Each structure stands twice: as structure tokens, then as C-alpha cells.
Amino acid sequence: MNDGVESAIGDEAALAARLLAEISQARGDAREDPFGNPVLRVTLWLTRRMDRGELDVEAACGLVRRLGREALRQRAGRLAAYVGLDGDGEAAFAALAGTLVEAASGAPDPLAAYREAVERLRFAAVFTAHPTFGMSRRLAHALAAQASGAAGGEAVIGDAALSFRPDGRITLQDEFEQARYAVRHARDAIDRLNAALLRAAQGLAPERWHELAPCPVILASWVGCDTDGRTDIGWWDTLRYRLESKQGQFARILEKLPAVPATAAVRELVATALAAVERQLALAPPITTQPALPALQAFALALVNEREAALPEASRLIAALDEAIALSSDDDTTVALCLVRAGCVAHGVSIALPHFRLNASQLHNAMRGVIPLDEEPTQPAQRRAFLSAVNGLLAKVAPIAVDFGALAAERASATRMLMTIAQIVKHVDGTKAVRFLVAETETGLMSAVNPRRELVLPASQRPHNDDRAEVETRPEGRR
């Protein structure tokens, strides 16, 4: 490697160019030397110059910031190209809708064919804040702004005191807020796609296009629902976050509803429901606390007593939107109402659907109270006896009601999750199926069936795919 060094180390641009050249050379040499390590070689190149005083700490920090800025700009460019932000997004949506209209035009019933195409779910995005922990929230927002061409991103990236350190202590609330921020933007993007699909249908069926409820993409979030490896999430935390998701949906609907007489009834319905949800949230225990029993009792009573006012599922809301669409007098208002209805059809009364996860070991622990086990059921010697015991219990399965008292008393985390899901479906949002994933599943999958003795699956809510499990109690079990 050439050891020539610039006499003026203070020139960041020259130093960055020199470093990149050394990296390129080290990588090239490594192709001929199977024992070479390009990373170690460049590190040695830098540390030797620091040892000789040719590169001080201030210059090294400036170099890191310069390279980091360039990396952020390049990453923003790649992100924009990947999701199509470097072109005309609205034109792309319109072109997609036009393709679907053209394909449906030759069908015996064009509207039915188009409906099948646009109302069939194609993709589901599940949001979590975990991947963002290596980047501060301020920098993550700047990266998103830079990629989307919004103002403010370059000001943060170009800041002379730019730091690439992550935020300090990251809490569960930080996770939720970051996921919620992303979900709101994603819902707006889905609305733009759905608007293109609806407008394209106007020429296909001028009198009936407003009957469509496009649902090509749905959104969900793990945050507050993922207990795999976590003990800091109480069932009251999960319920609180589902209420906050519900609050976000109602607030968004009020923002999107056109201010016209046709929307008066649905606006009143949503405003009443939002007020009820806010009263429920006022009694929710603070996140990651260990509330006393009276606080849990007050929260549970708020969920039960305000249940109907808070709209426990979307059917009344969708019916009110249908009435508003029938009263609408212009296409722009009708499109806006159809977009709100499509969001409710896809996500119920939540801004994003919940996605639960637990670990197979949690299922094993839940089963210990039902099937005595001296050793782990995953061990080959125990597996056959365990499966035989599970099969015997399956023959005796009978649904029972779940209430908040039983939930507060339950100590097995897997059973507690299923009971929490049942209460969410009854008291928060029962519109859509609830999905959950069992991680590290081997023998644990078999034990997943038995804890559902606490619950019953109505035929209307049963899963359509093997990777999806839905949980609800019987209607008479609403306590």
C-alpha cells in the first residue's frame, strides 16, 4: 500500500477521497490474497497516521461526519428509487389502475372483475421500531424527508454538529410513537393508491363505482403485542396501545371527512366514539408500570361500560359512511368518503391492525399446569408422551367465557396473551381477524391448540390461512 500522506490533513474532501481510494485498493488486493483483511488493513492505515500525529481526533470526527453525510444522501436516493419516489407517483398509480380497468373491460361483468382485482388483499406491511434503534429519531425523519423530497432533511444532514449516535434510553413508548408515525404516512400513501383505483372505475361503471372498497394493502404493528423475549409489556399496556391505535383511526377519519352536510351524521358518530376512547385512555395505567388492582378494575370497567359508545367494531361506522356516500352530491366528496370507508373495511376501527407474537417456550410453560412434565417437551424422549397428552385433552375442549378478572389473575404469559386478544376483540376492535405468530416452534405448535380451551372461534372469524390464528370469545361472554 502506498504510504504517501497529504501534508494538509485538514482538507476533509481530500482526506475522504484518499481514504476511499485506500479502501478500493485494499479490496482489490484482497481478491489476490485469500488471507487479506481489507477492513483490518484500512484500520491500520488510519491508526498509524493517528499515532504519528498526522490525523488528529477533530479531523477524524470531521471525516466520519463527511462520509456519513454522503452515505445518508446515497441511502435516501436508493430509498427513493426503490419505492418510486424519484418519479411521478400519482402517474404510476394511475397507470396501474388503468391496466386493471383494461383487464376488466373484457369480462362479462366488468365491475365485478374490477372489484375482484382491487378488493383482493395483495400485501400486508407489519411495522416495528426495532430496526430504527441504531439511528436517532431526528436523523431517521431527516432521511425520510430527504428521500421524499420534503423540506428539512438536508438541513439536518448538513448540520456541522451532526451526530450518528442513536437516542439514549429507548422505551416501549418510543417504539410505539415511531411505528405510529410510519403508519400514518403509509395510510396516506394507500389512500393515494385507492383514489387512483376509484377514479379509474368511474369510466368503467359511472353509476356504481362508489360501491368499491379497494383493499390492496393492509397495515399492522408488532409494537405492544410482541412478548417474545420481553417481560416489560403488561396486558394493560397492550390494551392501551390498541386504544391509541383506535384513537388514531377516529382522529384521522375526522381529518379526512369533507365538511359538507352529507357527512354530519358520520362525523357525529366518530366524534362520540373518539370521546369515549379518550375517556377509556384516561383510566389506562401508565405504560410499563405495575398498577394496583383498583386501577386495573377502573380501566376494565371503562372498557366495558364505554364499549358501545366507542364502537367495538366497524359495521355501524361503515353503514354511516354508506349513507353519507348516498347523500354526496359531487365526485370529489364521494371519493373522499369512499377512501375513509376503504380504510375502515381494511383496518376496522384501528389505524393499523395488531400482530401478536409469543415464543414456543411460553406455550410450554402454560401447558405445565395442565400436563405435568418433568422435562422439556422438546426433548425426543418426552415428545411422544406430550403429544399423546395433548391429543387426549383436545377431545375434551369446551369454550368458556373470558373476563378481566380472569385476565388479571392469569400468570402464564401465553394464556394471558390469548385472553388479552379475546378482550381486544370484544371491547376494542372486533372487525378484523387477529394474527399471531409462535416463534421457535417445534413441539410448541401442538401445545398452542390447547390453551384455546379458554376461547372459542366463531365461524365468521376463523382463519383462512395456516399462518393466521384468530381468537374471540362467544358474544355472551362479554364481561
Side-chain angles (χ1 to χ4, degrees):
M1 179 181 290
N2 187 351
D3 288 333
V5 180
E6 295 86 359
S7 58
I9 294 297
D11 187 345
E12 285 184 8
L15 181 59
R18 179 74 170 128
L19 176 60
L20 293 173
E22 294 295 340
I23 292 173
S24 179
Q25 182 179 343
R27 286 175 172 171
D29 293 346
R31 296 189 185 96
E32 304 299 329
D33 180 7
F35 300 102
N37 186 326
V39 175
L40 182 61
R41 184 171 168 177
V42 173
T43 302
L44 184 61
W45 182 84
L46 282 169
T47 55
R48 280 178 174 173
R49 276 140 190 80
M50 296 185 76
D51 291 342
R52 293 199 296 261
E54 298 169 352
L55 178 64
D56 58 22
V57 173
E58 183 178 352
C61 290
L63 177 63
V64 168
R65 279 192 289 269
R66 182 182 185 85
L67 294 174
R69 289 189 188 97
E70 290 303 314
L72 282 171
R73 293 186 182 105
Q74 291 175 16
R75 182 176 176 183
R78 291 194 303 271
L79 177 59
Y82 179 67
V83 299
L85 294 174
D86 56 346
D88 187 344
E90 303 306 321
F93 288 155
L96 173 62
T99 301
L100 295 175
V101 167
E102 184 179 355
S105 298
D109 185 343
L111 182 62
Y114 189 73
R115 183 195 300 276
E116 183 179 356
V118 302
E119 294 188 356
R120 180 164 67 88
L121 178 61
R122 309 297 183 113
F123 299 98
V126 184
F127 287 83
T128 176
H130 293 173
T132 69
F133 287 174
M135 182 182 294
S136 69
R137 188 183 304 191
R138 176 171 178 260
L139 197 56
H141 288 186
L143 177 63
Q146 185 82 355
S148 58
E154 184 57 38
V156 174
I157 295 174
D159 187 355
L162 177 65
S163 172
F164 296 95
R165 292 181 179 275
D167 292 326
R169 181 174 177 269
I170 299 173
T171 65
L172 183 63
Q173 185 63 23
D174 293 325
E175 292 184 54
F176 179 78
E177 288 175 359
Q178 291 193 59
R180 178 170 56 184
Y181 181 86
V183 163
R184 282 189 62 87
H185 283 276
R187 286 289 302 271
D188 289 343
I190 292 173
D191 276 358
R192 291 195 293 273
L193 170 59
N194 287 347
L197 296 173
L198 288 168
R199 293 196 181 279
Q202 292 175 352
L204 190 68
E207 303 299 325
R208 298 182 57 198
W209 63 269
H210 54 80
E211 300 174 7
L212 298 172
C215 186
V217 183
I218 60 171
L219 307 176
S221 176
W222 291 107
V223 182
C225 305
D226 181 0
T227 62
D228 181 13
R230 300 189 67 154
T231 59
D232 61 329
I233 302 176
W235 58 264
W236 49 90
D237 296 326
T238 302
L239 281 162
R240 182 190 184 98
Y241 281 140
R242 296 318 307 157
L243 286 174
E244 291 198 21
S245 180
K246 192 172 183 178
Q247 180 189 44
Q249 173 77 318
F250 290 153
R252 187 176 187 276
I253 289 173
L254 291 176
E255 291 173 8
K256 301 295 183 181
L257 283 175
V260 296
T263 65
V266 67
R267 185 178 293 276
E268 181 180 358
L269 177 65
V270 175
T272 300
L274 177 58
V277 171
E278 288 174 344
R279 289 192 294 270
Q280 291 173 327
L281 280 169
L283 292 173
I287 294 297
T288 65
T289 61
Q290 293 295 324
L293 190 59
L296 291 177
Q297 184 181 35
F299 181 41
L301 286 174
L303 289 170
V304 174
N305 294 337
E306 298 274 15
R307 179 182 182 278
E308 293 304 322
L311 297 181
E313 45 84 29
S315 62
R316 287 166 56 197
L317 178 54
I318 292 172
L321 287 164
D322 286 337
E323 292 177 6
I325 291 170
L327 295 173
S328 175
S329 59
D330 63 273
D331 285 350
D332 288 342
T333 297
T334 303
V335 168
L337 289 169
C338 287
L339 291 176
V340 173
R341 182 182 61 187
C344 295
V345 170
H347 300 97
V349 291
S350 302
I351 198 167
L353 301 173
H355 211 105
F356 288 82
R357 180 168 68 174
L358 49 74
N359 194 281
S361 62
Q362 294 171 277
L363 291 169
H364 297 161
N365 291 334
M367 294 302 298
R368 290 181 188 279
V370 182
I371 303 175
L373 295 173
D374 296 328
E375 298 182 34
E376 286 294 323
T378 53
Q379 295 184 8
Q382 295 291 321
R383 184 170 300 175
R384 180 169 296 181
F386 177 71
L387 294 179
S388 176
V390 168
N391 286 333
L393 288 171
L394 285 173
K396 305 174 184 178
V397 167
I400 62 172
V402 175
D403 58 31
F404 282 107
L407 178 57
E410 180 58 51
R411 291 294 173 262
S413 60
T415 306
R416 192 164 59 239
M417 173 183 280
L418 298 180
M419 296 170 75
T420 301
I421 293 171
Q423 297 302 81
I424 288 171
V425 170
K426 284 188 294 183
H427 299 296
V428 181
D429 188 359
T431 311
K432 305 294 290 184
V434 175
R435 299 185 177 197
F436 71 87
L437 178 149
V438 181
E440 301 179 18
T441 300
E442 290 179 357
T443 309
L445 180 61
M446 301 306 298
S447 68
V449 178
N450 188 263
R452 285 158 65 176
R453 72 192 189 283
E454 308 287 346
L455 314 160
V456 63
L457 302 178
S460 62
Q461 293 285 336
R462 284 177 186 158
H464 301 290
N465 301 312
D466 292 338
D467 62 346
R468 168 166 145 179
E470 299 137 61
V471 183
E472 187 175 343
T473 58
R474 292 179 296 178
E476 61 268 26
R478 288 172 176 164
R479 288 181 287 167

